[in-house]
Amino acid sequence: MASPAPAAPPRSALGIEAHEQQAPTDVRRVTLIVRDMENSLQLYRDVVGLKVNYDAVVETSGVALPAGEPGAKARLVLLNGNDPWIGWIGLMQWIDPPLADPGPYPRRMGPGGHVIVMNTDDVEGRCAAAAKVRGVTTTSAPRNQIYPGRNGGPPIHVLGCNFFDPDGTLIEMNQIQPSPAR
């Protein structure tokens, strides 16, 4: 009989220690209502690099998800990054009948707005590619930022950019940088 593996040391990331007890809830995904599925896929699949794991036409009630009318058809596409369970983005477009055009592409945030923060391997390249997608509005080109460390940890160095997707979601695209040697 093999001896049990030694207990793994507590995980630590940027000064945050893993909790002994898990929270009772995981945030699995956010679903964004989009005006043009193919344009949104160009951004989230082709530029950001998320993988499509579900693509279907669904019938909506207009009640549980209060959009559209009862019996309307919507295309739902689910995308994920590296985790097979959490951190997904859903894209949903009403196709029969379509939702009313929401008007101009967004340029500012306000109450009810939201930000999705993503970590990537190539901020400069992905931000440049995102700027070429129809309806994307860049609010900040890639720049270096330093955030105070968590729980007494070292400062967090981030290269990041910000942009609105075509439907009003602000994306903060980050690339964690190594802390400079002291």
Side-chain angles (χ1 to χ4, degrees):
M1 178 190 238
S3 61
R11 293 183 304 157
S12 177
L14 302 174
I16 298 176
E17 295 297 325
H19 296 285
E20 288 183 25
Q21 181 178 0
Q22 293 185 359
T25 305
D26 284 325
V27 178
R28 277 202 63 202
R29 80 167 187 256
V30 60
T31 299
L32 309 174
I33 309 305
V34 302
R35 63 180 95 202
D36 180 333
M37 182 64 75
E38 293 308 317
N39 195 53
S40 293
L41 284 170
Q42 182 183 359
L43 176 64
Y44 288 99
R45 179 193 60 210
D46 303 341
V47 172
V48 172
L50 299 177
K51 306 295 181 202
V52 173
N53 63 53
Y54 182 86
D55 187 345
V57 173
V58 297
E59 186 172 311
T60 64
S61 68
V63 178
L65 182 61
E69 54 190 63
K73 304 280 189 269
R75 181 177 174 196
L76 175 62
V77 177
L78 304 179
L79 304 108
N80 66 286
N82 294 313
D83 193 289
W85 183 250
I86 62 171
W88 293 15
I89 292 181
L91 304 174
M92 194 170 203
Q93 179 186 2
W94 269 255
I95 52 178
D96 185 24
L99 296 178
D101 186 325
Y105 293 123
R107 298 182 145 316
R108 303 285 302 165
M109 293 187 73
H114 47 276
V115 180
I116 297 176
V117 180
M118 300 179 180
N119 195 52
T120 188
D121 60 346
D122 178 15
V123 161
E124 291 175 335
R126 293 188 193 279
C127 292
K132 296 176 184 173
V133 174
R134 182 175 46 88
V136 166
T137 302
T138 299
T139 63
S140 176
R143 78 260 172 236
N144 287 305
Q145 302 173 108
I146 300 174
Y147 295 97
R150 296 181 182 141
N151 301 327
I156 303 166
H157 295 257
V158 176
L159 176 64
C161 73
N162 298 76
F163 56 86
F164 280 105
D165 82 354
D167 298 292
T169 298
L170 188 69
I171 304 296
E172 180 179 323
M173 180 87 43
N174 289 332
Q175 187 172 2
I176 306 297
Q177 303 293 295
S179 294
R182 292 182 183 203

Coordinates of all heavy atoms in Angstrom, one line a residue, residues 122-170:
D122 N -1.1 38.3 -23.9 CA -0.5 39.3 -24.8 C -1.5 40.5 -24.8 O -2.2 40.7 -25.8 CB -0.4 38.6 -26.2 CG 0.1 39.6 -27.3 OD1 0.6 40.7 -26.9 OD2 -0.1 39.3 -28.5
V123 N -1.4 41.3 -23.8 CA -2.2 42.5 -23.7 C -2.1 43.4 -25.0 O -3.1 43.8 -25.6 CB -1.9 43.3 -22.4 CG1 -2.4 44.7 -22.6 CG2 -2.6 42.6 -21.3
E124 N -0.9 43.7 -25.3 CA -0.7 44.7 -26.4 C -1.3 44.1 -27.7 O -2.0 44.9 -28.4 CB 0.8 45.0 -26.6 CG 1.3 45.8 -25.4 CD 2.8 46.1 -25.4 OE1 3.5 45.3 -26.0 OE2 3.2 47.1 -24.8
G125 N -1.1 42.9 -28.1 CA -1.6 42.3 -29.3 C -3.1 42.2 -29.3 O -3.8 42.5 -30.2
R126 N -3.6 41.7 -28.2 CA -5.1 41.5 -28.1 C -5.8 42.8 -28.0 O -6.9 43.0 -28.6 CB -5.5 40.6 -26.9 CG -5.0 39.2 -27.1 CD -5.4 38.2 -26.0 NE -4.7 37.0 -26.1 CZ -4.9 36.0 -26.9 NH1 -5.9 36.1 -27.8 NH2 -4.2 34.9 -26.9
C127 N -5.3 43.8 -27.3 CA -5.9 45.1 -27.3 C -5.9 45.8 -28.7 O -6.9 46.4 -29.1 CB -5.3 46.0 -26.2 SG -5.6 45.4 -24.6
A128 N -4.8 45.6 -29.4 CA -4.8 46.2 -30.8 C -5.8 45.5 -31.7 O -6.4 46.2 -32.5 CB -3.3 46.1 -31.3
A129 N -5.9 44.2 -31.5 CA -6.9 43.4 -32.4 C -8.3 43.8 -32.0 O -9.2 43.9 -32.8 CB -6.6 41.9 -32.2
A130 N -8.6 44.0 -30.7 CA -9.9 44.3 -30.2 C -10.3 45.7 -30.8 O -11.5 45.8 -31.2 CB -10.0 44.4 -28.7
A131 N -9.4 46.6 -30.9 CA -9.7 47.9 -31.4 C -10.2 47.9 -32.9 O -10.9 48.8 -33.3 CB -8.5 48.9 -31.3
K132 N -9.9 46.8 -33.6 CA -10.3 46.7 -35.0 C -11.7 46.1 -35.1 O -12.3 46.0 -36.2 CB -9.3 45.9 -35.7 CG -8.0 46.5 -35.8 CD -6.9 45.6 -36.5 CE -5.6 46.3 -36.4 NZ -4.5 45.4 -36.9
V133 N -12.3 45.6 -34.0 CA -13.6 45.0 -34.1 C -14.7 46.1 -34.1 O -14.7 47.0 -33.3 CB -13.9 44.0 -32.9 CG1 -15.3 43.5 -32.9 CG2 -12.9 42.9 -32.9
R134 N -15.7 45.9 -35.1 CA -16.7 46.9 -35.2 C -17.4 47.1 -33.9 O -17.9 46.2 -33.2 CB -17.7 46.5 -36.3 CG -18.8 47.5 -36.6 CD -19.7 47.0 -37.7 NE -20.1 45.6 -37.7 CZ -21.1 45.1 -37.1 NH1 -21.9 45.9 -36.4 NH2 -21.4 43.8 -37.1
G135 N -17.5 48.4 -33.5 CA -18.3 48.8 -32.2 C -17.4 48.8 -31.0 O -17.9 49.2 -29.9
V136 N -16.2 48.3 -31.0 CA -15.3 48.4 -29.8 C -14.8 49.8 -29.7 O -14.4 50.4 -30.6 CB -14.2 47.4 -30.0 CG1 -13.1 47.7 -28.9 CG2 -14.7 46.0 -29.8
T137 N -14.9 50.3 -28.4 CA -14.4 51.6 -28.1 C -13.3 51.5 -27.1 O -13.6 51.1 -25.9 CB -15.5 52.5 -27.5 OG1 -16.6 52.6 -28.5 CG2 -15.0 53.9 -27.2
T138 N -12.1 51.8 -27.5 CA -11.0 51.8 -26.5 C -11.0 53.0 -25.6 O -11.2 54.1 -26.0 CB -9.6 51.8 -27.3 OG1 -9.6 50.6 -28.1 CG2 -8.4 51.8 -26.3
T139 N -10.9 52.7 -24.3 CA -10.9 53.8 -23.3 C -9.5 54.0 -22.8 O -9.2 55.1 -22.2 CB -11.9 53.6 -22.2 OG1 -11.5 52.4 -21.5 CG2 -13.3 53.4 -22.7
S140 N -8.6 53.0 -22.9 CA -7.2 53.2 -22.4 C -6.3 52.2 -23.1 O -6.6 51.0 -23.1 CB -7.2 52.9 -20.9 OG -5.8 53.0 -20.5
A141 N -5.3 52.7 -23.8 CA -4.3 51.9 -24.5 C -3.5 51.1 -23.4 O -3.6 51.5 -22.2 CB -3.4 52.7 -25.3
P142 N -2.8 50.1 -23.8 CA -2.0 49.4 -22.8 C -1.1 50.3 -22.0 O -0.4 51.2 -22.6 CB -1.2 48.4 -23.6 CG -2.1 48.1 -24.8 CD -2.7 49.4 -25.1
R143 N -1.1 50.2 -20.7 CA -0.2 51.0 -19.8 C 0.1 50.2 -18.6 O -0.6 49.2 -18.2 CB -0.9 52.3 -19.4 CG -1.9 52.2 -18.3 CD -3.4 52.1 -18.9 NE -4.4 51.8 -17.9 CZ -5.2 50.8 -18.0 NH1 -5.1 50.0 -19.0 NH2 -6.1 50.7 -17.1
N144 N 1.3 50.5 -18.0 CA 1.7 49.8 -16.8 C 1.0 50.5 -15.6 O 0.9 51.7 -15.5 CB 3.2 50.0 -16.6 CG 3.9 49.1 -17.6 OD1 3.7 47.9 -17.6 ND2 4.8 49.7 -18.4
Q145 N 0.5 49.6 -14.7 CA -0.1 50.1 -13.4 C 0.5 49.3 -12.3 O 0.9 48.1 -12.4 CB -1.6 49.8 -13.5 CG -2.3 50.4 -14.6 CD -3.7 50.0 -14.7 OE1 -4.6 50.8 -14.4 NE2 -4.0 48.8 -15.1
I146 N 0.6 49.9 -11.1 CA 1.0 49.2 -9.9 C -0.1 49.4 -8.9 O -0.5 50.5 -8.6 CB 2.4 49.9 -9.4 CG1 3.4 49.7 -10.5 CG2 2.8 49.2 -8.1 CD1 4.7 50.4 -10.1
Y147 N -0.5 48.2 -8.4 CA -1.5 48.2 -7.3 C -0.9 47.8 -6.0 O 0.1 47.0 -6.0 CB -2.6 47.2 -7.7 CG -3.4 47.5 -8.9 CD1 -3.1 47.0 -10.2 CD2 -4.4 48.4 -8.9 CE1 -3.8 47.3 -11.3 CE2 -5.2 48.8 -10.0 CZ -4.8 48.2 -11.2 OH -5.5 48.5 -12.3
P148 N -1.4 48.3 -4.9 CA -0.9 47.9 -3.6 C -1.0 46.4 -3.5 O -2.0 45.8 -3.9 CB -1.8 48.6 -2.6 CG -2.4 49.8 -3.3 CD -2.5 49.3 -4.8
G149 N -0.1 45.7 -2.8 CA -0.2 44.3 -2.6 C -1.3 44.0 -1.7 O -1.8 44.8 -0.9
R150 N -1.8 42.7 -1.7 CA -2.9 42.3 -0.9 C -2.3 41.6 0.4 O -1.3 40.9 0.3 CB -3.7 41.2 -1.6 CG -4.4 41.8 -2.8 CD -5.2 40.7 -3.5 NE -5.9 41.2 -4.6 CZ -6.0 40.5 -5.8 NH1 -5.5 39.3 -5.9 NH2 -6.6 41.0 -6.8
N151 N -3.0 41.9 1.5 CA -2.6 41.2 2.8 C -1.1 41.4 3.0 O -0.5 40.4 3.5 CB -3.0 39.8 2.8 CG -4.5 39.6 2.6 OD1 -5.3 40.5 3.0 ND2 -4.9 38.5 1.9
G152 N -0.5 42.5 2.8 CA 0.9 42.8 3.0 C 1.8 42.2 2.0 O 3.0 42.2 2.1
G153 N 1.3 41.7 0.9 CA 2.1 41.1 -0.2 C 2.8 42.2 -1.0 O 2.5 43.4 -0.8
P154 N 3.6 41.8 -1.9 CA 4.3 42.8 -2.7 C 3.4 43.5 -3.7 O 2.3 43.0 -4.0 CB 5.3 42.0 -3.5 CG 4.7 40.6 -3.6 CD 3.9 40.5 -2.3
P155 N 3.8 44.7 -4.2 CA 2.9 45.4 -5.1 C 2.7 44.5 -6.3 O 3.5 43.7 -6.7 CB 3.8 46.6 -5.5 CG 4.8 46.8 -4.4 CD 5.0 45.4 -3.9
I156 N 1.5 44.8 -6.9 CA 1.1 44.0 -8.1 C 1.3 44.8 -9.3 O 0.7 45.9 -9.5 CB -0.4 43.6 -8.0 CG1 -0.6 42.8 -6.7 CG2 -0.8 42.8 -9.2 CD1 -2.1 42.6 -6.3
H157 N 2.1 44.4 -10.2 CA 2.4 45.1 -11.5 C 1.6 44.5 -12.6 O 1.7 43.3 -12.9 CB 3.9 44.9 -11.8 CG 4.8 45.6 -10.8 ND1 5.4 46.8 -11.0 CD2 5.1 45.3 -9.5 CE1 6.1 47.2 -9.9 NE2 5.9 46.3 -9.0
V158 N 0.9 45.4 -13.3 CA 0.0 44.9 -14.4 C 0.2 45.8 -15.6 O 0.2 47.0 -15.5 CB -1.5 45.0 -13.9 CG1 -2.5 44.7 -15.0 CG2 -1.7 44.2 -12.6
L159 N 0.2 45.1 -16.8 CA 0.1 45.8 -18.0 C -1.3 45.6 -18.5 O -1.8 44.5 -18.5 CB 1.1 45.2 -19.1 CG 1.0 45.8 -20.5 CD1 1.4 47.3 -20.5 CD2 1.9 45.0 -21.4
G160 N -2.1 46.7 -18.7 CA -3.5 46.5 -19.0 C -4.0 47.6 -20.0 O -3.4 48.7 -20.1
C161 N -5.1 47.3 -20.6 CA -5.9 48.2 -21.4 C -7.4 48.0 -21.1 O -7.8 47.1 -20.4 CB -5.7 47.9 -22.9 SG -6.5 46.4 -23.5
N162 N -8.2 49.0 -21.5 CA -9.6 48.9 -21.3 C -10.4 49.3 -22.6 O -9.9 50.1 -23.3 CB -10.1 49.9 -20.2 CG -9.4 49.6 -18.9 OD1 -8.2 49.9 -18.7 ND2 -10.2 49.0 -17.9
F163 N -11.5 48.6 -22.8 CA -12.3 48.9 -23.9 C -13.7 48.4 -23.7 O -14.0 47.5 -22.9 CB -11.8 48.3 -25.2 CG -11.6 46.8 -25.2 CD1 -12.6 45.9 -25.5 CD2 -10.3 46.2 -24.8 CE1 -12.4 44.5 -25.4 CE2 -10.1 44.9 -24.8 CZ -11.2 44.0 -25.1
F164 N -14.7 49.1 -24.3 CA -16.1 48.7 -24.3 C -16.2 47.7 -25.5 O -15.8 47.9 -26.6 CB -17.0 49.9 -24.6 CG -17.3 50.7 -23.4 CD1 -16.7 52.0 -23.3 CD2 -18.2 50.3 -22.4 CE1 -17.0 52.8 -22.2 CE2 -18.5 51.1 -21.3 CZ -17.9 52.3 -21.2
D165 N -16.9 46.6 -25.2 CA -17.3 45.7 -26.3 C -18.5 46.4 -27.0 O -19.0 47.4 -26.6 CB -17.7 44.3 -25.7 CG -19.1 44.1 -25.2 OD1 -19.8 45.1 -25.0 OD2 -19.4 43.0 -24.8
P166 N -18.9 45.8 -28.1 CA -20.0 46.5 -28.9 C -21.3 46.7 -28.2 O -22.2 47.4 -28.7 CB -20.1 45.6 -30.1 CG -18.8 45.0 -30.3 CD -18.4 44.7 -28.8
D167 N -21.5 46.0 -27.1 CA -22.8 46.1 -26.4 C -22.8 46.8 -25.0 O -23.7 46.7 -24.3 CB -23.4 44.7 -26.3 CG -23.6 44.2 -27.7 OD1 -24.5 44.7 -28.4 OD2 -22.9 43.2 -28.1
G168 N -21.6 47.4 -24.7 CA -21.6 48.2 -23.5 C -20.9 47.6 -22.3 O -20.9 48.1 -21.2
T169 N -20.3 46.4 -22.4 CA -19.5 45.8 -21.3 C -18.1 46.3 -21.4 O -17.5 46.2 -22.5 CB -19.5 44.2 -21.5 OG1 -20.9 43.8 -21.4 CG2 -18.7 43.6 -20.4
L170 N -17.7 46.9 -20.3 CA -16.3 47.3 -20.3 C -15.4 46.1 -19.9 O -15.6 45.4 -19.0 CB -16.1 48.4 -19.2 CG -14.7 49.1 -19.3 CD1 -14.5 49.9 -20.5 CD2 -14.5 49.9 -18.0

